[in-house]
């Protein structure tokens, strides 16, 4: 059995130059299993933390330069490697921001790919078929590179596998319609050439996938007619055949149904010894002009799971750490999957099959006496609902109950399921149950099991990418308590959802908010913050170099100077209610990317922006007077988060705020706040040298019981 879970978008796919080009050059494993490195077809390389869907670094080459191959991460040296303009090898670290200042070396021949695996030195594959380890190449970049291939022989695909600390490089070539596979082994250094032996009339393979199992290399390659072949190669080299070329024996392991369509592209990747993921081929029971991602069982030739992919399919597919990376439309999607041990009963639909929102799970029966699939039957199993549950429900039984039971019964059963299910099973089951609860809540307006959602969230096995519809449903229901908990727990909330939640908060009246049950700690913090009296108010002086703009002696030459000099003219009361402020504080804690957040912030209306800025100004005023330090709370926004959000709002609405009359006073006050801080830092800069002298001065250790020390500062 196999399952495709709800996917999410990692990044956008840049525009291609023409219809034959691809949007992404490659997706490679990053510094650990939660990081990937995406190289697009334009001029940029971006690292992503997958669980957060956030970029961790981005690097670009100059206009006119071309990235020749996907960038890789060298786990041994903790450095990134890429090739530009075919011959320039560039190496840089995470904290380098400019590729032009990074190390680069020009080699003597065109490079095809840099191949890397975890805990091994990267290998450089040249277009001529020669290979070099990266360190030896960079030690002598202009070393001569031998020609392994003939003049008109072109490499179409390449990969690297590792087993028992040994590396093997594989690459396929095409020469006048003939297709060969080269296997480069190290220690000892041997190169073996194989000729593909397939059925007559087959064109070139359109996709390859290589894995290492035991002492053999398993190579799967896909043809445009839907035939998926497997060849098994020994990890150690064997004797060569006639003319130094070995015949590559193969076996047909899967025939994909095509119907009357003719396909020129597609991709397949091995998931485990029994499952393969395929993209670009039609679904057996779907209509024409629909693209699907499918998982097939190669042992029983059955379709196990499928998901429709909207937009153009680029016939690219990568698999890392239980996640599939699929470019389609204008995005790169990440789709988690799970493959379970195969059995004939499961493959033929005799065991329970479940479907999730956005993901279909089918079972198709194969005629075992024929070579091709001759009959396709969809089998669905239902479990009868029982009113009294005396033993622990399985996840499939619970999902069936969710579809028909009342809210009270569902909430009780979910709670019982969470208590009785082992943690290892609950980690996968929580997402499935949440998806089914959201699906029914969206269809049935009278069904909304809030307690069940909260119980599932308390397991910490839910995140936004597992159940993306949960937050949207909570916003529609105005369930701010659930939203608050989600923003505290979920670390992968997209920027678009953050802005939608922010807009929902700002558009809800304060009196309606006050009736919402929120986290007590967050409300207490807001209550004490609004009631806190700063020491500067009591002493009549400044604290930390800050004073309200109305009390500054240096006032800009504006028509409202007289008004600004009046201490009573600046109202520093909280502009929102306590509950709304508590919810806004959670938004300030949310992780985000500036580039992704700014476009969505423009959806806020001018009144909403002004209210949010007024609240941020209030927080800044309180924090500048250290009022927050007098309050004990677990989650409080930092001063840097407050300033960052002020900058984001001003950047996204600068033109509107500059011309809106109602925003003039607010913008002027913010300007005064900034100027007071600049003045403080300028004064601190004047005594920086003296403070440094004081810090470095050698103090006498013989102080005795009491001493008075005079230090002169110049």
């Amino acid at each position: 059995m196999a399952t495709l879970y709800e996917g999410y978008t990692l990044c956008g796919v840049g525009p291609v130059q023409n219809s034959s080009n691809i949007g992404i050059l490659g997706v490679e494993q990053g510094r650990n299993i939660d990081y990937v490195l995406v190289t697009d077809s334009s001029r940029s390389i971006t690292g992503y933390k997958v669980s957060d869907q956030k970029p961790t670094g981005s690097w670009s080459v100059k206009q006119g330069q071309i990235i020749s191959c996907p960038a890789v991460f060298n786990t041994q040296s903790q450095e990134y490697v890429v090739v530009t303009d075919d011959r320039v090898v560039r190496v840089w670290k995470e904290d380098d921001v400019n590729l032009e200042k990074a190390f680069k070396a020009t080699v003597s021949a065109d490079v095809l790919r840099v191949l890397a695996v975890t805990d091994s030195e990267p290998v450089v594959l040249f277009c001529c078929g020669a290979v070099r380890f990266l360190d030896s190449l960079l030690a002598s970049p202009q070393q001569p590179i031998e020609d392994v291939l003939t003049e008109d022989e072109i490499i179409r695909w390449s990969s690297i596998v590792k087993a028992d600390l040994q590396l093997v490089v594989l690459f396929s070539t095409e020469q006048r319609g003939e297709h060969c596979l080269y296997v480069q082994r190290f220690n000892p250094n041997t190169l073996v050439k194989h000729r593909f032996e397939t059925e007559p009339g087959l064109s070139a393979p359109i996709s390859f996938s290589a894995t290492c199992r035991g002492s053999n290399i398993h190579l799967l390659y896909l043809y445009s007619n839907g035939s998926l072949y497997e060849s098994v190669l020994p990890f150690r080299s064997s004797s060569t055949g006639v003319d130094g070329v070995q015949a590559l024996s193969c076996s047909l392991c899967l025939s994909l149904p095509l119907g009357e369509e003719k396909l020129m592209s597609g991709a397949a990747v091995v998931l485990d010894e029994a499952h393969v993921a395929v993209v670009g081929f039609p679904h057996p029971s779907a209509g024409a002009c629909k693209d699907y991602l499918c998982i097939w069982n190669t042992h029983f030739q059955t379709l196990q799971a499928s998901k429709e992919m909207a937009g153009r399919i680029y016939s690219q597919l990568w698999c890392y750490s239980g996640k599939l990376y699929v470019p389609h439309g204008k995005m790169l999607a990440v789709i988690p999957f799970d493959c379970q041990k195969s059995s004939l009963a499961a493959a033929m639909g005799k065991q329970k099959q479940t479907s999730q929102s956005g993901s279909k799970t089918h079972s198709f029966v194969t005629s075992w006496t024929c070579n091709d699939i001759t009959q396709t039957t969809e089998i669905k199993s239902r479990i009868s609902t029982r009113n009294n549950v005396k033993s622990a429900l399985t996840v499939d039984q619970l999902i069936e109950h969710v579809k028909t039971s009342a809210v009270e019964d569902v909430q009780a059963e979910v709670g019982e399921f969470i208590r009785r299910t082992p943690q290892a099973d609950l980690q996968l089951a929580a997402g499935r149950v949440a998806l089914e609860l959201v699906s029914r809540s969206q269809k049935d307006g009278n069904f909304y099991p809030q307690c069940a959602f909260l119980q599932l969230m308390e397991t910490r096995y839910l995140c936004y990418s597992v159940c993306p519809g949960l937050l949207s449903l909570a916003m529609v229901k105005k369930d701010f308590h659930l939203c608050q908990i989600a923003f505290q727990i979920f670390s992968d909330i997209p920027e678009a959802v953050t802005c939608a939640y922010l807009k929902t908060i700002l558009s809800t009246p304060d009196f309606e908010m006050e009736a919402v049950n929120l986290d007590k700690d967050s409300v207490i913090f807001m209550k004490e913050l609004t009631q806190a009296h700063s020491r500067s108010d009591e002493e009549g002086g400044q604290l930390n170099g800050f004073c309200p703009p109305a009390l500054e002696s240096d006032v800009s030459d504006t028509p409202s100077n007289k008004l600004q000099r009046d201490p009573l003219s600046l109202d520093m009361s909280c502009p929102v209610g306590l509950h709304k402020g508590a919810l806004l504080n959670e938004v300030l804690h949310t992780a985000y990317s500036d580039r992704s957040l700014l476009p969505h912030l423009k959806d806020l209306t001018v009144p909403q922006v002004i209210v949010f800025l007024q609240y941020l100004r209030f927080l800044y005023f309180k924090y500048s007077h250290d009022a927050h330090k007098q309050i004990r709370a677990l989650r409080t926004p930092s001063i840097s988060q407050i300033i960052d959000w002020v900058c984001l709002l001003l950047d996204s609405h600068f033109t509107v705020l500059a011309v809106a009359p109602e925003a003039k006073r607010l913008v002027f006050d913010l300007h005064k706040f900034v100027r007071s801080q600049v003045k403080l830092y300028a004064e601190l800069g004047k005594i920086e040298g003296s403070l440094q002298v004081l810090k470095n001065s050698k103090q006498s250790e013989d102080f005795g019981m009491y001493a008075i020390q005079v230090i002169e500062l110049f």
Side-chain angles (χ1 to χ4, degrees):
M1 293 178 62
T3 304
L4 286 170
Y5 296 104
E6 186 69 29
Y8 50 89
T9 300
L10 183 65
C11 63
V13 175
V16 296
Q17 301 299 323
N18 54 64
S19 59
S20 63
N21 286 344
I22 57 180
I24 292 178
L25 285 181
V27 178
E28 298 287 338
Q29 187 75 64
R31 58 178 179 263
N32 59 45
I33 61 174
D34 196 27
Y35 288 82
V36 294
L37 197 60
V38 179
T39 307
D40 63 32
S41 59
S42 56
R43 298 182 294 113
S44 65
I45 304 160
T46 308
Y48 290 92
K49 185 177 181 181
V50 181
S51 60
D52 293 343
Q53 307 169 48
K54 300 295 188 296
T56 59
S58 183
W59 305 271
S60 300
V61 297
K62 295 193 303 184
Q63 185 73 32
Q65 296 177 340
I66 299 174
I67 298 178
S68 306
C69 64
V72 299
F73 184 75
N74 184 354
T75 56
Q76 288 189 333
S77 63
Q78 296 294 299
E79 294 175 324
Y80 298 95
V81 184
V82 76
V83 177
T84 61
D85 299 325
D86 296 327
R87 296 196 178 192
V88 181
V89 181
R90 299 175 185 262
V91 181
W92 74 98
K93 291 186 177 293
E94 181 78 30
D95 54 357
D96 293 332
V97 295
N98 190 347
L99 279 183
E100 291 303 310
K101 296 181 179 180
F103 172 84
K104 55 184 175 182
T106 303
V107 297
S108 59
D110 290 350
V111 175
L112 181 78
R113 286 284 300 270
V114 180
L115 305 169
V117 291
T118 304
D119 298 328
S120 295
E121 183 182 349
V123 176
V124 180
L125 174 63
F126 290 87
C127 294
C128 60
V131 295
R132 294 287 190 276
F133 282 103
L134 179 63
D135 288 348
S136 63
L137 177 64
L138 296 181
S140 178
Q142 288 299 311
Q143 61 182 278
I145 304 298
E146 70 277 8
D147 289 328
V148 175
L149 307 179
T150 58
E151 184 177 352
D152 56 348
E153 195 171 5
I154 302 173
I155 299 178
R156 296 299 187 187
W157 167 84
S158 61
S159 183
I160 187 171
V161 293
K162 178 182 179 181
D164 298 330
L165 302 179
Q166 298 292 325
L167 298 178
V168 175
V169 173
L170 304 101
F171 57 93
S172 67
T173 65
E174 180 181 0
Q175 182 185 27
R176 294 191 293 273
E178 184 178 86
H179 302 276
C180 296
L181 176 72
Y182 288 80
V183 181
Q184 173 70 61
R185 297 177 175 88
F186 305 93
N187 193 25
N189 194 339
T190 60
L191 178 66
V192 180
K193 182 178 181 181
H194 300 268
R195 180 182 295 107
F196 286 102
E197 297 288 341
T198 55
E199 299 177 6
L202 286 180
S203 58
I206 60 175
S207 178
F208 294 85
S209 181
T211 57
C212 189
R213 297 199 293 270
S215 59
N216 294 321
I217 300 171
H218 292 255
L219 177 68
L220 268 73
Y221 40 102
L222 179 65
Y223 287 88
S224 58
N225 68 346
S227 299
L228 183 68
Y229 287 88
E230 180 182 33
S231 295
V232 181
L233 301 166
F235 202 82
R236 300 291 180 181
S237 61
S238 58
S239 59
T240 60
V242 180
D243 298 330
V245 180
Q246 294 187 14
L248 184 65
S249 60
C250 62
S251 60
L252 179 65
C253 62
L254 183 64
S255 293
L256 299 174
L258 287 182
E260 300 179 355
E261 296 187 35
K262 292 184 179 180
L263 300 178
M264 299 302 296
S265 62
V269 63
V270 177
L271 304 182
D272 60 19
E273 61 181 9
H275 296 91
V276 60
V278 180
V279 71
F281 279 71
H283 189 285
S285 62
C289 303
K290 290 186 178 181
D291 291 306
Y292 278 82
L293 169 66
C294 300
I295 295 181
W296 288 83
N297 187 307
T298 56
H299 287 179
F300 305 114
Q301 301 214 356
T302 55
L303 178 62
Q304 298 288 285
S306 64
K307 178 182 289 289
E308 184 177 354
M309 309 301 293
R312 173 188 176 187
I313 290 291
Y314 293 86
S315 298
Q316 294 174 293
L317 186 60
W318 295 272
C319 177
Y320 298 109
S321 306
K323 299 180 180 67
L324 292 168
Y325 296 81
V326 189
H328 66 98
K330 296 183 179 181
M331 65 186 70
L332 173 63
V334 181
I335 302 176
F337 69 90
D338 177 49
C339 294
Q340 302 173 8
K341 188 175 180 180
S342 300
S343 66
L344 183 60
M348 297 187 66
K350 300 303 182 181
Q351 290 184 347
K352 297 182 290 292
Q353 304 283 343
T354 60
S355 63
Q356 301 181 23
S357 178
S359 175
K360 301 178 182 178
T361 306
H362 302 266
S363 291
F364 293 90
V365 180
T366 302
S367 176
W368 303 106
T369 59
C370 303
N371 292 329
D372 299 324
I373 297 177
T374 58
Q375 183 180 10
T376 304
T377 308
E378 182 176 357
I379 302 176
K380 298 180 179 179
S381 62
R382 295 275 185 179
I383 302 175
S384 60
T385 303
R386 295 175 297 179
N387 293 328
N388 298 319
V389 182
K390 298 182 179 180
S391 59
L393 291 173
T394 66
V395 63
D396 300 311
Q397 291 172 330
L398 178 59
I399 288 176
E400 290 297 324
H401 284 210
V402 168
K403 294 178 180 178
T404 55
S405 300
V407 173
E408 295 77 10
D409 296 336
V410 168
Q411 293 182 147
E413 290 172 352
V414 170
E416 187 69 18
F417 176 78
I418 293 174
R419 285 190 293 272
R420 295 198 178 198
T421 304
Q423 293 298 307
D425 298 333
L426 184 60
Q427 186 171 2
L428 293 176
R432 295 178 58 190
V433 175
L435 284 169
E436 191 61 44
L437 289 171
V438 170
S439 177
R440 183 181 172 186
S441 298
Q442 292 172 337
K443 297 175 182 177
D444 184 357
N446 297 323
F447 182 85
Y448 184 69
Q450 183 197 41
C451 293
F453 287 131
L454 292 174
Q455 291 176 28
L456 289 170
M457 291 172 66
E458 288 174 358
T459 65
R460 302 282 173 162
Y461 293 140
L462 285 186
C463 62
Y464 178 83
S465 56
V466 170
C467 188
L470 178 56
L471 263 178
S472 300
L473 175 66
M475 283 188 277
V476 171
K477 298 290 186 179
K478 293 290 184 74
D479 189 350
F480 291 106
H481 178 52
L482 191 146
C483 289
Q484 184 186 33
I485 302 301
F487 269 76
Q488 292 176 357
I489 296 177
F490 295 171
S491 60
D492 58 343
I493 299 176
E495 287 80 356
V497 177
T498 299
C499 288
Y501 179 54
L502 179 61
K503 193 169 185 177
T504 303
I505 295 173
L506 295 172
S507 61
T508 304
D510 284 335
F511 70 87
E512 187 176 330
M513 285 281 192
E514 297 307 311
V516 177
N517 180 29
L518 297 181
D519 177 45
K520 292 182 179 179
D521 186 70
S522 62
V523 177
I524 292 174
F525 170 76
M526 283 301 302
K527 185 176 181 179
E528 295 189 8
L529 186 67
T530 55
Q531 295 176 353
H533 296 285
S534 66
R535 292 192 297 273
S536 65
D537 292 338
E538 297 172 354
E539 300 171 3
Q542 297 186 21
L543 185 61
N544 291 337
F546 174 85
C547 69
L551 301 180
E552 289 184 352
S553 59
D554 181 18
V555 183
S556 301
D557 295 330
T558 64
S560 57
N561 283 350
K562 182 177 180 180
L563 178 63
Q564 294 299 323
R565 290 190 179 95
D566 182 6
L568 299 176
S569 64
L570 186 60
D571 183 10
M572 279 303 170
S573 60
C574 185
V576 299
L578 300 182
H579 285 215
K580 182 175 289 188
L583 295 175
L584 291 175
N585 289 344
E586 295 297 343
V587 175
L588 300 183
H589 280 284
T590 307
Y592 61 85
S593 167
D594 293 8
R595 183 186 303 178
S596 302
L597 184 63
L598 280 172
H600 298 292
L601 282 177
K602 295 180 180 179
D603 294 336
L604 297 177
T605 63
V606 176
Q608 291 171 345
V609 173
I610 292 177
V611 170
F612 195 17
L613 280 174
Q614 287 173 340
Y615 177 68
L616 294 173
R617 181 188 64 174
F618 162 78
L619 287 179
Y620 182 76
F621 173 79
K622 290 292 185 179
Y623 275 51
S624 298
H625 288 78
D626 288 344
H628 66 295
K629 294 183 179 179
Q630 306 167 22
I631 307 171
R632 293 183 179 181
L634 296 177
R635 286 175 60 87
T636 61
S638 64
I639 187 70
S640 61
Q641 289 172 332
I642 296 170
I643 295 175
D644 288 343
W645 273 91
V646 170
C647 295
L648 286 168
L649 289 172
L650 292 177
D651 288 343
S652 59
H653 292 270
F654 177 78
T655 304
V656 176
L657 292 174
V659 299
E662 62 271 27
K664 184 176 181 180
R665 173 67 177 274
L666 174 63
V667 175
F668 182 76
D669 290 342
L670 292 173
H671 169 68
K672 299 294 291 281
F673 285 156
V674 173
R675 190 170 60 179
S676 67
Q677 293 298 303
V678 172
K679 187 175 180 179
L680 168 64
Y681 284 111
E683 295 297 326
L684 291 175
K686 293 178 182 179
I687 63 172
E688 181 180 7
S690 300
L691 293 174
Q692 191 66 34
V693 172
L694 178 61
K695 179 180 178 181
N696 298 333
S697 64
K698 295 183 179 179
Q699 300 179 357
S700 173
E701 297 180 0
D702 187 15
F703 289 141
M705 295 293 293
Y706 178 77
I708 297 177
Q709 192 174 15
V710 179
I711 300 175
E712 294 184 5
L713 300 178
F714 299 95

